[in-house]
Amino acid sequence: MLSRIAEALFWIGRYVERGDGTARILDVHLQLLLEDPWVDEDTACRALLSVMGTTVDSGRVLGRDDVVSMLALDREHAASIAHSVASARENARRAREIISTDLWETLNETNARMPRRVASDRTHPFFRWVRDRSALAFGVVDSSTSRDEAWHFFSLGRAIERADMTARLLATRSLTEAGGPSWTTLLRSCGAYEAHLRSHRAVPTAASAVEFLLVDRLFPRSVLSSVLQAEECLRGIDPAVAFGSVDRAQRVLGRLRSELEYRPIGDIVRQLSESMEEVQVSVSMASDAIRERYFPSIAMPVWIGEAL
């Protein structure tokens, strides 16, 4: 497979997952600003923008409308939903001869219908729409793509991005602590609440929620499950990896997997922000290693704050 096609597929997976993850994070925290009058809006908005890799002039007072404008609708902002949707569509155009017509039409329609403005009372339906469109794109790929190199590169990008977005979602919990979203809210935001109840049969606690979103092997949005998926995709792309020829990306992911599996959850909960930053750094290193190995001659799209 040509490296430009492989890169386009990798970034389609990443950008679609990025739009979905950003919508989930924004939905949780903007609802919190509406429901909790004791949260300082400017501080909460700045902390959220920081977690998403964006900095703003300290002399400006921020509100929820500013966050929606920057992280949802600004087509020029590299961390926004609109930019992710447009970038996924552009990469699909570059790989048009490989991807299915259904996927192309899904991404093209999503980009065409991306609104320029969203009313304050319509943000939740908008984020729901973004999540539904992302789920449709992933469903089209899963149901109509052969499990060949094209599927492995798409799934690799999706897994790498999902690990990063779940880590960012967990990092937002420590932004305002007492005034932050509850563990139940965070679990619901990524569809994990009912799965957590079935697994733990108890109301979520800090330890159980962090453990579930980090190291549960059966829940597809957990960081560990995403890392395992990425490792499987690398083995599918290069079968020699399964026989001991381990490249740098495999070593980085293996180190991250070992850290997640054997580090006590209590230690992670006590240093949640620092632990999630370490996960994001490892994911960024793995992404760099994949770029150097499989598409070295092409400039990589950079998300602000990806290399923390």
Side-chain angles (χ1 to χ4, degrees):
M1 177 179 290
L2 295 175
S3 63
R4 67 175 179 83
I5 299 296
E7 187 194 32
L9 292 167
F10 177 79
W11 281 98
I12 292 171
R14 289 204 68 168
Y15 278 128
V16 175
E17 183 64 39
R18 182 173 298 175
D20 178 85
T22 303
R24 292 174 184 275
I25 292 173
L26 292 180
D27 196 16
V28 169
H29 288 274
L30 294 182
Q31 283 294 119
L32 177 68
L33 291 178
L34 286 176
E35 296 170 1
D36 191 345
W38 303 108
V39 173
D40 180 70
E41 189 167 344
D42 179 66
T43 301
C45 289
R46 289 185 183 279
L48 178 57
L49 289 170
S50 176
V51 167
M52 300 303 291
T54 302
T55 57
V56 181
D57 183 8
S58 59
R60 175 183 173 187
V61 178
L62 296 178
R64 63 191 307 272
D65 290 339
D66 298 307
V67 172
V68 172
S69 176
M70 283 186 279
L71 293 183
L73 304 175
D74 188 348
R75 295 169 186 261
E76 303 301 321
H77 195 292
S80 73
I81 295 172
H83 183 273
S84 296
V85 169
S87 298
R89 189 263 182 195
E90 177 61 21
N91 279 279
R93 185 186 62 80
R94 295 173 183 172
R96 185 65 188 89
E97 66 268 34
I98 295 294
I99 67 171
S100 68
T101 300
D102 288 339
L103 178 59
W104 166 249
E105 290 179 348
T106 297
L107 296 176
N108 203 32
E109 181 182 351
T110 304
N111 183 59
R113 293 173 57 190
M114 177 62 62
R116 298 282 179 176
R117 297 179 182 176
V118 177
S120 298
D121 60 344
R122 300 293 298 170
T123 53
H124 179 69
F126 167 68
F127 294 137
R128 169 66 67 179
W129 176 79
V130 173
R131 292 164 57 180
D132 289 346
R133 298 301 299 183
S134 300
L136 177 59
F138 288 132
V140 166
V141 172
D142 287 341
S143 63
S144 63
T145 303
S146 298
R147 272 31 179 185
D148 54 9
E149 280 190 336
W151 185 83
H152 284 305
F153 275 111
F154 177 89
S155 298
L156 177 60
R158 178 186 183 184
I160 289 290
E161 190 67 30
R162 178 169 284 181
D164 181 79
M165 295 308 294
T166 300
R168 288 178 189 271
L169 182 67
L170 283 168
T172 61
R173 177 60 180 84
S174 58
L175 297 180
T176 51
E177 289 301 336
S182 67
W183 290 111
T184 296
T185 301
L186 283 183
L187 288 169
R188 287 188 186 280
S189 72
C190 53
Y193 179 67
E194 293 179 353
H196 176 279
L197 289 182
R198 288 194 297 271
S199 176
H200 291 267
R201 301 185 184 279
V203 175
T205 63
S208 69
V210 171
E211 181 178 17
F212 192 77
L213 291 176
L214 275 183
V215 300
D216 190 280
R217 288 173 174 267
L218 302 181
F219 184 65
R221 287 194 172 276
S222 76
V223 175
L224 180 59
S225 178
S226 300
V227 170
L228 292 171
Q229 176 68 30
E231 290 183 308
E232 183 180 345
C233 290
L234 286 173
R235 288 191 292 270
I237 294 168
D238 184 4
V241 169
F243 299 98
S245 178
V246 181
D247 64 4
R248 188 163 72 92
Q250 193 79 8
R251 286 195 296 271
V252 171
L253 292 174
R255 191 182 307 120
L256 175 58
R257 170 171 48 79
S258 298
E259 179 73 13
L260 291 172
E261 288 180 320
Y262 297 108
R263 185 178 178 185
I265 290 298
D267 293 348
I268 296 177
V269 174
R270 283 191 294 273
Q271 299 179 319
L272 187 58
S273 181
E274 294 80 1
S275 298
M276 294 306 96
E277 184 173 327
E278 293 172 4
V279 171
Q280 292 170 57
V281 169
S282 296
V283 169
S284 179
M285 291 173 60
S287 180
D288 290 341
I290 292 166
R291 173 180 56 84
E292 293 170 5
R293 174 72 184 276
Y294 295 107
F295 12 90
S297 62
I298 306 174
M300 180 186 68
V302 176
W303 182 19
I304 296 173
E306 180 173 337
L308 297 177

